[in-house]
Every structure is written in structure tokens, then in C-alpha cells.
Amino acid sequence: MGTARRTGAGDERQPVTAMTVLEPWIGKPLDEVLGTLRDTLEDPDYPTVKRWREAGGKVLGHFQVYVPEEIAHAGGLLPLKIRGAQIEARQAEARFGSYLCSIIKTSLELALSKRVELELFVTPPICDAARNLAAVWGRNFTYPCEILYLPQNANSSYAPDYLRHEYDRLRRAVEAVAGRPVTDDDLRRSIAVFNENRRLLRELYAIRRQQPWLLPADEAYVLTAIGGCIPREEHNTLLGAILPQIQARTSRAQDRLRVVFEGGFCEQPPIDLLRMIAQSCYIVDDDLMIGLRWIVSDVDAGGGDPLRSLAGAYLEQSSYSPVQHDLRKPKEAMLLERIARAGAGAAIITAAKMCEPGLEEQVAYSKALDAAEIPYFVSEFEESMTSFETLQVQLETFVENVLFD
């Protein structure tokens, strides 16, 4: 059993002192480290969060897709990306209707079953179900539950000021939980930590695009997603040590179809599903856990207003998703650009079952891919899937048709 270990100290106005919550991994073989990280990520009891709390830390849990985690980090809270789990939603089923996506129910179940304990919960209203999640959550727990209202019209000239105001509201909520002010200097330091994290994730995805045989999709997913449940400083240390080891692998390229995986922006597919896909093709880019990579370049951490910098980055330096409406970023065109940038020859267009935004985009994406004459494979998934045989046969048939047509 690992324990949280402090790696630094600071005064009361500093961001949280860095703690390590992963099992000790330094010096161990790469494959063993990746296996342990996967076990940690799939553990519905969130052991890293428990270690953080046992060491006295507080937790801000937030639902998909994007929340400015720098604000929680600056207040000394662990920002926890709540992404559901492969569990039975026994208690949550009684609090939601039947025809909803799985992640909504299992995310609430994590809290109801006390697998995850929080001091603050935040959700953006990315869909009707997520909009209702904060209210349902709030009726069942005594800690604050907030909706972060990201701009519906990102093209409005008022959007930066509006979003800066929303981020300041979130800062005040974090201050109330942290029991201390969150200063601009705190925010700048946190922005710098997250800038480094985004740089390392860009490096990871560059390996996937340029040398995908060195880093299968399932391993890349584990290395990315683990960042959502550990301190970012620890994630930075982990990636900084692991990425050179991946680049040093001696695996050789195989004649496989290069594909982009689209549809994992909210509910996450089982890791075994990604592993199955990786057996027949290279996933060279995706939108999995896109919230961790939403900002695509460094946020200004200089002497200006850090909240305005974060707001500007959301609007001007961001990726795309079915749950953000920005006329400057038509999603169909952005998908085609992602495919071209990754050098992919096809796309896997998928969606979580009962996910309205995802299923609607499948239609739009299909039309765009047809017009561009790019082959694509359409499917859907659920986080609790355990059998992939039929899907595997269908995918292998698709790949063979594309490669040998």
C-alpha cells in the first residue's frame, strides 16, 4: 500500500505542498510501471485520492469535460476528474431516469458509495443530464456543489469578461473550502505547473503521431488519464521520466492502418476496448480525456490577470468538442484537420450509449468524412463493456477492406 509523501513545504499563502500518492515506481521496469498505473486508474476506490485525504488534503471533484483545474490547485485542493467507473450504480439508479448515459450514474455512485469523498463538486452544463447532476449531487451531500457556466456563445465580445467573472466565482468557492485566499501569485504558479503538464502531454501525443508503434493506445490513455487523479506535479515527474523510456523502446513499425478515434470526450471507453483496437490499427490521435488537453498552448503566467489569461486560453487556445459551440471551430472541419495532422488514413467515429451530443455528432462527422472520401468505422460503447468479440471482427473486416481495397 502506498502512502502520500510530502515533497516540499511552504507558508500558508503558497499552493498546496506537493504530495506523491502513487505507489513507488522509480527504478522499476517500464512495463511493470504501466501495469501498476492501469490498476490504479481502474480501481473504483480511487486509492490515490484516499492517500491525498489521509495526508490532510482536500479535494475538488469535477465532471467532464473541462474545468480550469489551476484554480483548485492554487487553493491547495486536489482537482479530481470524475469520469465514472466500471461499477453497478445501485444507489444512483434511484436518483436518475433510465434513459441516461452510464457515466452520469456511476459518477454519482462513486460519491454515494463513499468510494470518493469531496469538499467541493463542480460540473459544467455540457448536456441536460450534466446540468441536473449538480442539483442531484447537492441534494445528497452537505458540501457545496457548483455549476460552472462556460460561455454558450464563445464568439461574443462579452465572452472573455463573462468567463473571467465565472472563474472568479469558482475561485471564491475554492477559497471558502481551502480556508485561505487564492492570490494571483498562487494562480500564476499553478498555471506554470499546468503549462508543463500540457507540454508533456503534447510530447506524448507527438510520439503517438510520429511513432505509434512505440506507444499503444491503451498505454497512452493510462499515462494521460492518471493525471486526473494525482497531483499535477507528480504527473509531471512521472511523464518526464517515462517518455524517454518509451522513446528508447526498440519496437518496429508494422503495416497497420493509422486511425483517429473520435467520441471519447466525456464517457470513457474501457481500456480493454482501446487495447483491442490497437491490435489491428494504430490510433494516432483521439479526443479521450480531452479536458486534460483542452488548452493547446501555454497560458500566460506573467504579471497580468491570471483569471483573464485562463479565460482567454479557453476561448482562443483550445481544442474542440461536441459540447462547446464556437463558430470559429466547426467540429467537422476540426476533425478533418486532426486526421490530416496525424497522417491518419481512416477514423473510428464512436459515441457512448445514450449520449445525445456524441450521437448527434456522429451524423455530422459521417457526412464530412463521406465528402472528404475518408473511410470511417461507426460504433458505440459503454464504460461497463466487457465483451468485444463482435466489435473486433467488424473492425478487422473494416481495416482489411481499407488496406486491401
Side-chain angles (χ1 to χ4, degrees), residues 139-213:
R139 286 199 296 269
N140 286 275
F141 300 98
T142 57
Y143 52 78
C145 299
E146 300 281 349
I147 298 178
L148 180 68
Y149 291 99
L150 300 171
Q152 288 297 304
N153 181 6
N155 307 126
S156 169
S157 60
Y158 297 102
D161 287 339
Y162 164 81
L163 187 55
R164 194 265 174 209
H165 183 79
E166 273 295 281
Y167 284 0
D168 191 47
R169 185 171 66 85
L170 178 59
R171 168 163 62 176
R172 294 194 298 272
V174 168
E175 288 176 335
V177 170
R180 66 168 179 85
V182 176
T183 69
D184 285 355
D185 284 340
D186 291 337
L187 287 165
R188 293 186 189 104
R189 283 188 287 266
S190 293
I191 288 172
V193 170
F194 279 71
N195 279 343
E196 174 65 6
N197 189 248
R198 287 184 281 262
R199 183 193 69 78
L200 289 164
L201 289 174
R202 290 196 297 270
E203 185 178 334
L204 184 151
Y205 270 74
I207 295 173
R208 294 187 62 191
R209 288 191 296 271
Q210 298 163 14
Q211 299 170 290
W213 51 91

Side-chain angles (χ1 to χ4, degrees), residues 350-390:
T350 187
K353 291 182 178 179
M354 304 291 182
C355 174
E356 275 192 46
L359 292 169
E360 287 176 0
E361 289 303 324
Q362 274 191 332
V363 177
Y365 287 151
S366 298
K367 291 181 178 178
L369 293 167
D370 282 334
E373 298 184 340
I374 296 174
Y376 58 93
F377 179 81
V378 177
S379 68
E380 63 178 19
F381 67 87
E382 192 170 32
E383 61 186 356
S384 60
M385 288 175 66
T386 57
S387 177
F388 313 104
E389 288 82 1
T390 300

